[in-house]
Amino acid sequence: MKQAGSPVAVGAFLVAGQFPGMSHADTLSASMAYAAAAEDAGFDGVWIAEHHFISYGVCPSALTFAAHLLGSTTRIEVGTAACVLSSRHPVALGEETALLDHLSEGRFRLGVARGGPWLELEVFGTGLPRYERGFPEALDLLLRWLGEEKVTADGEFFAFRETPVVPRPRTSPRPPVWVAATSTATVELAAERGLPLLLGIHEDDAGKARLLARYAEVATRSGHDPRSVPHTATVLAQVADSRAEAAGTLRAAMPGWLGRGTADYVRLDADHWPRRDPHTYVEQLLRIHPVGTPEQCARRLTETIERTGVHRLLLMVEGAGTRHGTLDNITRIGAEVLPSITGSRKARAAGGPSRAASSQSSAH
């Protein structure tokens, strides 16, 4: 948990959601335009989600998308939220992270997740055991690869002789790694290693604060100072001229996307997975997140910062479900919300249009 008065960093969280009426090409083109707009609007970064075989999010490689955005932007940090470690080899992910750390001159941010018991484990051949018990081993191997000159492994899932790390990362002692966490077990795993959390949109401020309190307990016991850890929280943000207008926009667009997108999940284990009613879920999100006028959104974001102590926020901005609506939301957040948040670095946008905006001008 950060100290009061710490500067606030606000990024855009892009799911690359395929809303009704959009093709895969429409969705990915729009996501690139949203990233360019976020840089121009003064956001501090853009973080990309990763999903496989479902229309909820059509980006199968957050790392590849991040690499593209790092090459087409000039200022912002670009992160993954998150690379699913249960279906990736941690050494391959470490090599690619080191490469992007060099090529972006330190602007890349790596977020990883355990993921779920989904179909990609079967398709990619990693198997259900990697999800059920392999995450700690994979995470530790990734961290060693990012921080050591030579690495060997002798575990249940990974075993190889001593191997040189080439290239070594640019960032020393290693590039930062965030861990996406929705459960206490994952929070404790990250805390034991002193790794910052990526907190999702499902929890309200009280829920986030409970997870962070548990993190602080375990981190302190493990010899880490929890006050110095740059946790990041994801929130849904929608700006309009009134609360009713903003909420109506999300009610009209999000249930159809969520209902179709999450129905595509294929679970490999035998556990029952109760599916959320999309309309009920949207109402829950409306109650706990910054949705309304710019003033209401700024006040709600400030409350989240004060209640949780988290000074890094990712705003999920695609809820309008259309390219025009999302671009307008991003622009208004940059112009009318970010300047009101204490410590916001909105002034970074004063340098003029980004290369990303120029390259996407024909798509706006």
Side-chain angles (χ1 to χ4, degrees):
M1 197 172 292
K2 298 287 284 183
Q3 298 282 356
S6 298
V8 176
V10 181
F13 172 55
L14 300 183
V15 184
Q18 185 185 2
F19 283 79
M22 299 177 70
S23 67
H24 295 165
D26 294 335
T27 303
L28 293 171
S29 173
S31 295
M32 291 189 290
Y34 302 157
E39 180 170 52
D40 288 344
F43 284 71
D44 293 282
V46 173
W47 292 56
I48 315 299
E50 176 175 294
H51 298 90
H52 296 281
F53 320 129
I54 60 173
S55 60
Y56 174 77
V58 302
C59 172
S61 173
L63 198 73
T64 301
F65 204 146
H68 174 79
L69 293 180
L70 286 166
S72 60
T73 57
T74 60
R75 174 184 61 79
I76 55 174
E77 66 180 26
V78 180
T80 60
C83 291
V84 180
L85 201 49
S86 297
S87 58
R88 289 177 174 269
H89 196 293
V91 170
L93 181 58
E95 287 186 314
E96 292 167 309
T97 297
L99 181 62
L100 291 184
D101 186 43
H102 280 282
L103 298 180
S104 70
E105 297 184 341
R107 288 194 292 131
F108 177 61
R109 305 288 180 263
L110 177 64
V112 299
R114 180 187 179 204
W118 311 128
L119 180 60
E120 61 258 31
L121 299 171
E122 176 180 299
V123 174
F124 298 142
T126 54
L128 194 58
R130 273 283 300 278
Y131 162 75
E132 293 175 332
R133 60 180 186 273
F135 185 54
E137 182 182 339
L139 180 60
D140 287 340
L141 179 54
L142 171 66
L143 296 175
R144 290 174 55 210
W145 193 269
L146 293 175
E148 299 177 11
E149 294 185 7
K150 295 181 179 180
V151 175
T152 186
D154 185 22
E156 178 183 0
F157 297 98
F158 306 99
F160 53 85
R161 71 191 67 184
E162 186 176 75
T163 304
V165 175
V166 180
R168 296 289 309 283
R170 174 183 188 271
T171 302
S172 180
R174 62 166 171 76
V177 177
W178 279 258
V179 177
T182 58
S183 69
T184 302
T186 302
V187 167
E188 293 173 349
L189 183 75
E192 289 168 353
R193 293 152 178 81
L195 300 175
L197 301 177
L198 272 173
L199 298 171
I201 66 172
H202 314 300
E203 292 279 3
D204 60 12
D205 290 345
K208 289 182 172 70
R210 284 193 295 271
L211 291 175
L212 291 167
R214 180 56 182 161
Y215 181 100
E217 293 174 7
V218 176
T220 300
R221 189 171 66 231
S222 302
H224 304 291
D225 180 3
R227 297 170 299 178
S228 64
V229 180
H231 299 302
T232 299
T234 306
V235 300
L236 173 66
Q238 184 66 39
V239 173
D241 291 334
S242 69
R243 162 80 181 177
E245 181 185 352
T249 295
L250 298 181
R251 288 187 178 115
M254 290 187 68
W257 163 56
L258 291 170
R260 185 185 67 168
T262 58
D264 294 337
Y265 275 115
V266 176
R267 188 163 189 143
L268 298 185
D269 62 4
D271 289 351
H272 176 63
W273 182 44
R275 298 185 185 275
R276 290 189 181 98
D277 174 76
H279 295 277
T280 302
Y281 181 47
V282 169
E283 292 303 317
Q284 174 191 344
L285 296 177
L286 292 177
R287 287 193 297 272
I288 66 177
H289 288 303
V291 176
T293 66
E295 295 77 17
Q296 289 171 328
C297 289
R299 183 164 60 250
R300 187 68 188 80
L301 288 169
T302 300
E303 289 171 353
T304 292
I305 294 167
E306 293 173 346
R307 292 168 179 169
T308 65
V310 175
H311 284 67
R312 292 178 58 90
L313 303 175
L314 296 181
L315 309 188
M316 192 283 197
V317 292
E318 298 169 75
T322 66
R323 187 182 185 117
H324 172 78
T326 299
L327 288 172
D328 181 66
N329 190 39
I330 291 169
T331 300
R332 291 197 65 177
I333 289 172
E336 303 175 57
V337 177
L338 296 192
S340 301
I341 301 173
T342 302
S344 170
R345 290 173 282 187
K346 173 68 170 63
R348 284 184 175 180
S354 69
R355 285 188 291 132
S358 299
S359 67
Q360 295 296 329
S361 60
S362 61
H364 280 238

